[in-house]
Amino acid sequence: EIKHMKIPKLPKPRMASLRTLYDPLSVAKGRSDNNKCAANSMQERRDPLDSALVLTFPGPNSFTGEDIVELHCHGSRAVVHGVLSALSSLSSTPITTTQDGSNHPPSPPRKLSLRPADPGEFTQRAYAHGKLGLVEVEALADLIVADTSLQRKQALQQFDGRLSRLYGGWREELIKGLAHAEAVIDFGDDEALDADDDEDDGDG
């Protein structure tokens, strides 16, 4: 059975908005199909799951570089189970969607690909999209397992890119030294090479 779902207007990017979360595929208990049209809005026909903070982070300005929506829910078992069950149901039921207040036709029926993230998957996606380097990934792992304030400070210094910039400077110096060594091997002790080096030092 194909379900139709209206998508409410999303909050402004990177701004927390208090929203009531509903299971989009379930009808509130006590309401029959005959009186669903009598409700003032679609939200009134749904079982509420929680009152939560919702934040959106459109890519590429997000941790992973992809579009991200964060749901800051209450931590009770009933709330967590209800929200996860609602998300899981969207993966097993074909749905069509329309933007709330839009006159555009519904989208073609499709199943949303939703699943729990694997351990470290967000960091892996951030690395794959160039949002984090290997040094920052290692720093993030160190920060997660830090037990002392010294470990925390060291991980944060590594995570903010200081070591990456230091290593980048070393890399440039090594590349220049390697290029000079190869030139000396190929052309010998040419005075032009020394003159070029002096000009580069003068420009710096």
Side-chain angles (χ1 to χ4, degrees), residues 86-93 111-115:
L87 293 175
S88 177
S89 65
L90 296 177
S91 301
S92 58
T93 304
K111 292 182 180 180
L112 299 181
S113 179
L114 300 175
R115 60 171 178 81

Side-chain angles (χ1 to χ4, degrees), residues 3 5 22-23 30 48 62-63 66 69 80-81 89 93 98 107 120 123 126 135 139-140 142 157 162 177 192-193 202:
K3 300 286 187 178
M5 181 176 62
Y22 297 87
D23 184 346
S62 66
F63 178 76
E66 304 166 303
V69 176
V80 174
H81 176 75
S89 65
T93 304
T98 55
S107 65
T123 302
V135 176
L140 182 58
D142 293 340
Q157 290 177 354
R162 297 182 192 181
L193 296 176

Side-chain angles (χ1 to χ4, degrees), residues 31-150:
R31 295 183 183 272
S32 64
D33 293 338
N34 294 331
N35 60 14
K36 281 193 293 185
C37 296
N40 293 329
S41 65
M42 175 167 288
Q43 283 75 14
E44 293 181 2
R45 304 198 301 268
R46 305 298 185 192
D47 279 328
L49 298 173
D50 190 23
S51 181
L53 290 178
V54 179
L55 295 97
T56 62
F57 298 90
N61 300 319
S62 66
F63 178 76
T64 65
E66 304 166 303
D67 294 337
I68 290 180
V69 176
E70 291 186 0
L71 306 178
H72 293 249
C73 306
H74 293 92
S76 69
R77 293 183 180 180
V79 169
V80 174
H81 176 75
V83 172
L84 293 180
S85 297
L87 293 175
S88 177
S89 65
L90 296 177
S91 301
S92 58
T93 304
I95 62 173
T96 61
T97 59
T98 55
Q99 186 73 39
D100 197 9
S102 174
N103 294 325
H104 295 291
S107 65
R110 62 191 179 98
K111 292 182 180 180
L112 299 181
S113 179
L114 300 175
R115 60 171 178 81
D118 296 327
E121 183 173 355
F122 279 90
T123 302
Q124 182 181 9
R125 287 172 176 256
Y127 173 73
H129 290 91
K131 304 297 289 187
L132 294 177
L134 288 176
V135 176
E136 286 77 20
V137 170
E138 183 179 359
L140 182 58
D142 293 340
L143 183 61
I144 293 174
V145 299
D147 293 324
T148 66
S149 59
L150 182 60

